Amino acid sequence: MKRLLVVSAHAADFVWRAGGAIALTVAQGGKALVVALSYGERGESGELWKEPGQTLERVKAIRHQEASRAAEILGADFLPLDLGDYPLRVDEGAQERLVEVLVDFAPDVLITHTPRDPFNPDHPVAYEVTERARQLATGSGVASAFRTVRPPEFLLFEPHQPELCGFMPDLFLDITPVWEKKLAAMQVFASQGYLQRYYAERAEHRANHARRISGWPDIARAEAFQRVLPQVVRSL
């Protein structure tokens, strides 16, 4: 049973960028866990702040409801750490909590943000804390005096503007069989409804790339990822 862990800076990031990977993992008999470092209540919930008399706690409650429902649609468990956003600050306690999550869940695949994003101050922070947690949880792949797990495959999901974030995809995932689930999960986020069309179109663009590379004509929707570490195989 493959185990997928997605670390999301804000409550909705996992849906736009890895919703298909999550749904596909679960559909194939695996297990998925989403860790949201924040709800994105300050910088990622613009539609909600248009309502008169809006409050921070109400926005967080709505975002929690949206993210929980989206994760449920995709088949994932949802774990919010509620660290706040813009800026996202991760103290040592939160860092240790993420390490514990990695060790307890023992993912086969770990996915998070790119280390560079000139348009979002929180995404690089999410990468940094995830990378550190991965190193601590795995002991760099050698025997250690503390409890560790086997190093997972480490991937970055596609940022909103990939060319400006140094994102170079080297893995395309066919999400055609679970596209309707990803679409339904995206539609849950009324707080960021404007992104639904963008990521629906992006899935078509990446499918076009995937078809050309693979020659598989039936790929209608795809997600793009970038490997952080080399792939290790026993045969070519």
Side-chain angles (χ1 to χ4, degrees):
M1 182 177 69
K2 181 164 287 188
R3 302 172 74 83
L4 169 64
L5 174 60
V6 179
V7 180
S8 183
H10 311 106
D13 294 330
F14 73 95
V15 174
W16 315 124
R17 299 172 172 94
I22 294 168
L24 194 62
T25 296
V26 176
Q28 293 174 343
K31 185 175 178 60
L33 171 63
V34 173
V35 175
L37 300 179
S38 79
Y39 287 118
E41 64 271 14
R42 286 160 51 87
E44 302 280 303
S45 306
E47 294 301 308
L48 298 179
W49 286 108
K50 293 178 181 179
E51 298 179 14
Q54 188 61 275
T55 67
L56 189 66
E57 290 307 313
R58 174 168 163 72
V59 171
K60 287 169 68 173
I62 293 173
R63 293 282 284 186
H64 178 87
Q65 184 179 32
E66 290 177 338
S68 298
R69 177 56 184 150
E72 180 182 9
I73 290 171
L74 298 173
D77 293 327
F78 178 68
L79 175 61
L81 297 190
D82 192 14
L83 301 179
D85 69 316
Y86 282 74
L88 170 64
R89 294 188 176 95
V90 182
D91 60 20
E92 283 304 310
Q95 178 74 76
E96 291 174 5
R97 177 74 178 101
L98 188 57
V99 173
E100 291 175 358
V101 170
L102 261 76
V103 172
D104 291 339
F105 188 70
D108 299 291
V109 181
L110 173 64
I111 305 177
T112 194
H113 297 265
T114 53
R116 181 158 63 93
D117 191 331
F119 298 99
N120 194 299
D122 295 344
H123 293 170
V125 176
Y127 169 83
E128 182 179 351
V129 68
T130 302
E131 167 67 337
R132 188 179 183 201
R134 181 194 67 83
Q135 293 179 1
L136 292 170
T138 63
S140 297
V142 299
S144 304
F146 45 87
R147 190 164 64 104
T148 61
V149 295
R150 183 174 61 84
E153 187 173 7
F154 190 21
L155 306 176
L156 309 176
F157 48 47
E158 183 166 14
H160 190 76
Q161 297 194 42
E163 299 87 350
L164 300 179
C165 298
F167 180 80
M168 295 289 290
D170 52 19
L171 188 157
F172 291 101
L173 179 66
D174 178 11
I175 62 169
T176 306
V178 295
W179 170 246
E180 293 303 322
K181 284 192 175 182
K182 176 169 181 174
L183 183 60
M186 290 196 299
Q187 291 171 343
V188 167
F189 280 95
S191 58
Q192 289 181 285
Y194 59 93
L195 288 178
Q196 295 173 16
R197 179 179 177 183
Y198 178 88
Y199 281 99
E201 292 177 347
R202 175 56 72 180
E204 294 182 358
H205 297 161
R206 290 312 191 185
N208 178 278
H209 301 159
R211 287 194 300 271
R212 287 174 174 267
I213 293 169
S214 67
W216 298 343
D218 57 340
I219 300 178
R221 302 289 191 284
E223 288 176 343
F225 300 91
Q226 179 179 342
R227 296 182 184 277
V228 177
L229 302 172
Q231 184 180 24
V232 179
V233 298
R234 296 188 183 275
S235 63
L236 295 180

